[in-house]
Amino acid sequence: MRAGLLAPSEWLFLGLVIVGFGAFVIALGKDMSWDFRNYHWYAPYAFLNGRMAMDVAVAHQASYYNPFLDIPFYLLATKISSWFALGVLGMVQGANVVPIYVMARSVLRLDENRLAAIAVTAVCMTGGLTIGLAGTTYYDNVLSVFALSGLAIVVFYRDELENGSLLRGMTIAAIAGFIVGSAVGLKLPQAPFALGFAAALIAAPGDTKHRLTRLAAGGIGGVIGVALFSAYWLMHMDALTGNPLFPYFNDVIQSPLVANDSYRDMRFLPGTFTKIIGYPILFSWNWHIADDLPFIDIRVGLAYIAGFVALGAWLFKKRSNDPLLEPKGARIIFAFVIVSYLAWLKVFAIYRYIVTLEMLAPLVLVGFVGMLPFTRRARLIVVGILFFAAIVTARSYPADKTNVSDPYVQSDAFPIPDPDHAMVLMTGEAPLGFLAPKIPHQIPLLRIDGWMIQPDDGTRLTAQMKARVNAFKGTLYTLSDAVELQRTRKALADYDLAIRWPGCRNIHTNLGGPYLFCPLARKLSASNDGSKP
């Protein structure tokens, strides 16, 4: 392994896991989760078709997310076939097995090292949310490949980082930093892992000169990775809205288009000291505390508890002289996990964002238990019991799925006789972005009511939309979820619009619905006779 070679049985294991994940995702079917229907399909469509200055808030705040992460799957699913796109997505998600196995194989200190690495890696890849996210387009389990790969490079080359030339160490750190930085550039919630990666570079062995030079090189590589995948988008958003992170952190950046609010989801941030200290234990048993996606998994909680026990053993100088993980490699992994977790806890506290740590938790657990002052046999028994407990208690609840068929998104045709002179207004909180490609491309889509914007919010963006609607001379339509009819009527009333009920149609899709699509009339000139739908 240290020579960079894997035995055929190891290649077979890695290949089977990757292909198995691909087959598993195809068997699960298409992702029809709320986020997919809201923006994971719309964002690449809008970018590739130049709609950013044409549409407004179609996918709420997510309308303005960096679309580059979504483009590959969108192109595969629209240009080739649904099953192929899902298979590729599943295999990429299964590729987490490679960096995890490389680290386990490199740091485990057991007689049957190869078999032990396979066993630990298998436990790492079967977490509650690790399986639950399979086949979804949240992409946290895709970007984990980046973060884990950057960490694996540091762990694997720790001897070169300690004793090699400064140039060699800088090159290794820069490559690893670029990989981690790329994940941050593609999705900003990966930022805690950049801090964890910096901590890993510091924790890697070596003198002060080696540490400082590789930290600088890793930082430069990380900045290049971030810039490569986000610089264009940040500048584009700044030019379009006045806020490169629009609409987030607008309480600081203050784009004139929306309210001076942070727009962050802070529902899961632990507010009390007690909750902060016990957070991994709390969310191990009650997923509602840390996520909207259901899962049950105690791996992170077990590793957290084992960490405190190991810390106590270290403070009282009772730790084992025969740890189960090679100390230098273990120190790198521990530093990455601890700093990443603390940064995440401060900024997000949404469990899905640390599925990377769920994957690493079993290896970390082995490291902490391996430090305890018991016989090797006793420590291995404890690890086995804890692994068994984690596996039998884990529960995965895959996101909503539907059968695999082409095209990926299917819907009724929208009855728009003159698309060159039409505008569609969206209302409510329902995810409607996935329907945008089914509407004639020349039609502008404006969400006049939703999470980010309401007709009476007093923002400049709402004022601009009202001006566009008032000045529009063609036919106006509304698109909404049928269950939000009351909210739709109120929003339209604020725009002096009313639904022309005889022209309404239900739009059926393969990913949800039906959705209500209606022509509109201006109240001052229309005769809405009050008839019901």
Side-chain angles (χ1 to χ4, degrees):
M1 183 66 182
R2 297 296 295 159
L5 300 176
L6 293 177
S9 59
E10 294 173 295
W11 285 113
L12 178 62
F13 166 69
L14 298 176
L16 286 175
V17 172
I18 293 173
V19 174
F21 258 78
F24 178 58
V25 166
I26 293 173
L28 286 175
K30 295 178 185 177
D31 177 18
M32 54 182 295
S33 62
W34 198 97
D35 278 16
F36 176 83
R37 289 178 289 144
N38 184 42
Y39 76 95
H40 287 298
W41 194 252
Y42 170 76
Y45 162 75
F47 176 77
L48 294 173
N49 290 275
R51 303 187 63 89
M52 290 308 303
M54 179 181 181
D55 297 344
V56 180
V58 170
H60 307 284
Q61 291 96 314
S63 306
Y64 307 99
Y65 289 179
N66 186 340
F68 296 156
L69 183 58
D70 290 291
I71 288 175
F73 182 81
Y74 177 81
L75 291 176
L76 286 174
T78 55
K79 304 300 183 183
I80 303 178
S81 69
S82 299
W83 73 265
F84 184 82
L86 288 169
V88 171
L89 176 62
M91 287 191 291
V92 172
Q93 293 169 344
N96 284 288
V97 71
V98 176
I100 292 173
Y101 181 76
V102 167
M103 285 186 281
R105 184 77 160 79
S106 180
V107 300
L108 282 170
R109 300 175 64 182
L110 298 171
D111 294 335
E112 295 293 337
N113 212 47
R114 186 184 306 168
L115 185 59
I118 289 175
V120 172
T121 303
V123 179
C124 291
M125 291 295 294
T126 54
L129 203 58
T130 300
I131 299 298
L133 288 177
T136 67
T137 53
Y138 295 104
Y139 294 120
D140 299 288
N141 57 344
V142 169
L143 295 172
S144 56
V145 178
F146 290 68
L148 291 170
S149 295
L151 176 62
I153 289 173
V154 176
V155 171
F156 187 80
Y157 288 105
R158 59 189 180 276
D159 292 339
E160 287 85 340
L161 291 173
E162 179 182 15
N163 301 314
S165 67
L166 293 180
L167 180 60
R168 173 71 169 167
M170 291 171 64
T171 302
I172 294 170
I175 293 172
F178 172 78
I179 296 172
V180 176
S182 296
V184 179
L186 288 167
K187 187 171 182 177
L188 290 178
Q190 293 289 305
F193 298 116
L195 297 178
F197 175 75
L201 287 176
I202 296 172
D207 57 29
T208 301
K209 184 183 295 185
H210 279 80
R211 283 192 166 96
L212 292 177
T213 53
R214 70 185 178 225
L215 182 61
I220 292 172
V223 169
I224 293 173
V226 171
L228 178 64
F229 289 104
S230 68
Y232 167 80
W233 188 252
L234 293 175
M235 291 187 293
H236 180 58
M237 282 294 99
D238 188 49
L240 186 67
T241 69
N243 178 352
L245 301 174
F246 188 82
Y248 294 103
F249 300 103
N250 209 55
D251 53 338
V252 177
I253 303 174
Q254 297 187 351
S255 163
L257 294 179
V258 292
N260 292 334
D261 195 353
S262 70
Y263 289 91
R264 291 172 55 211
D265 185 352
M266 298 187 287
R267 293 172 296 157
F268 303 109
L269 291 172
T272 65
F273 178 76
T274 302
K275 193 173 181 180
I276 291 172
I277 293 298
Y279 205 51
I281 301 170
L282 295 173
F283 66 60
S284 291
W285 293 107
N286 183 4
W287 59 269
H288 296 88
I289 291 174
D291 215 315
D292 286 325
L293 300 180
F295 72 95
I296 298 176
D297 198 278
I298 63 174
R299 281 154 230 253
V300 175
L302 290 176
Y304 185 73
I305 295 171
F308 277 105
V309 176
L311 177 63
W314 179 77
L315 291 175
F316 288 97
K317 298 181 180 181
K318 297 292 186 180
R319 61 179 177 177
S320 172
N321 294 320
D322 181 29
L324 298 180
L325 298 187
E326 191 276 323
K328 294 178 180 178
R331 189 164 63 242
I332 295 170
I333 296 172
F334 292 163
F336 175 85
V337 168
I338 293 170
V339 172
S340 297
Y341 171 78
L342 292 175
W344 165 85
L345 185 65
K346 176 66 175 179
V347 181
F348 299 113
I350 299 173
Y351 184 83
R352 174 166 55 86
Y353 292 165
I354 56 164
V355 70
T356 299
L357 300 188
E358 180 186 276
M359 296 179 195
L360 276 175
L363 184 59
V364 173
L365 184 61
V366 173
F368 284 145
V369 173
M371 295 169 59
L372 300 180
F374 307 130
T375 65
R376 173 169 279 248
R377 177 183 176 85
R379 285 176 285 152
L380 290 175
I381 291 174
V382 171
V383 168
I385 293 172
L386 296 179
F387 275 10
F388 179 78
I391 292 170
V392 299
T393 57
R395 295 290 183 274
S396 297
Y397 303 94
D400 293 337
K401 304 287 184 179
T402 190
N403 296 331
V404 180
S405 58
D406 289 315
Y408 198 95
V409 174
Q410 303 162 26
S411 78
D412 296 337
F414 284 81
I416 305 175
D418 185 10
D420 291 331
H421 302 90
M423 177 184 287
V424 174
L425 309 181
M426 297 176 170
T427 60
E429 297 181 355
L432 302 171
F434 78 106
L435 292 171
K438 296 297 181 180
I439 298 172
H441 298 346
Q442 64 267 46
I443 298 177
L445 310 175
L446 281 64
R447 187 182 283 268
I448 63 172
D449 170 60
W451 282 351
M452 192 176 106
I453 297 170
Q454 293 83 41
D456 58 354
D457 60 15
T459 64
R460 183 180 296 184
L461 192 57
T462 292
Q464 290 177 354
M465 283 199 293
K466 285 187 175 181
R468 284 182 66 180
V469 172
N470 290 335
F472 188 71
K473 302 302 183 182
T475 304
L476 294 168
Y477 297 86
T478 183
L479 176 64
S480 63
D481 193 312
V483 301
E484 295 186 293
L485 179 57
Q486 183 176 355
R487 179 167 179 165
T488 297
R489 297 179 72 167
K490 181 181 183 303
L492 292 172
D494 287 335
Y495 274 70
D496 293 324
L497 298 169
I499 295 174
R500 295 166 53 193
W501 294 111
C504 290
R505 297 291 184 273
N506 280 329
I507 303 297
H508 297 87
T509 81
N510 64 326
L511 301 181
Y515 300 95
L516 187 64
F517 184 73
C518 299
L520 300 174
R522 300 185 188 276
K523 283 187 174 181
L524 297 179
S525 60
S527 58
N528 180 14
D529 60 6
S531 60
K532 301 299 181 181

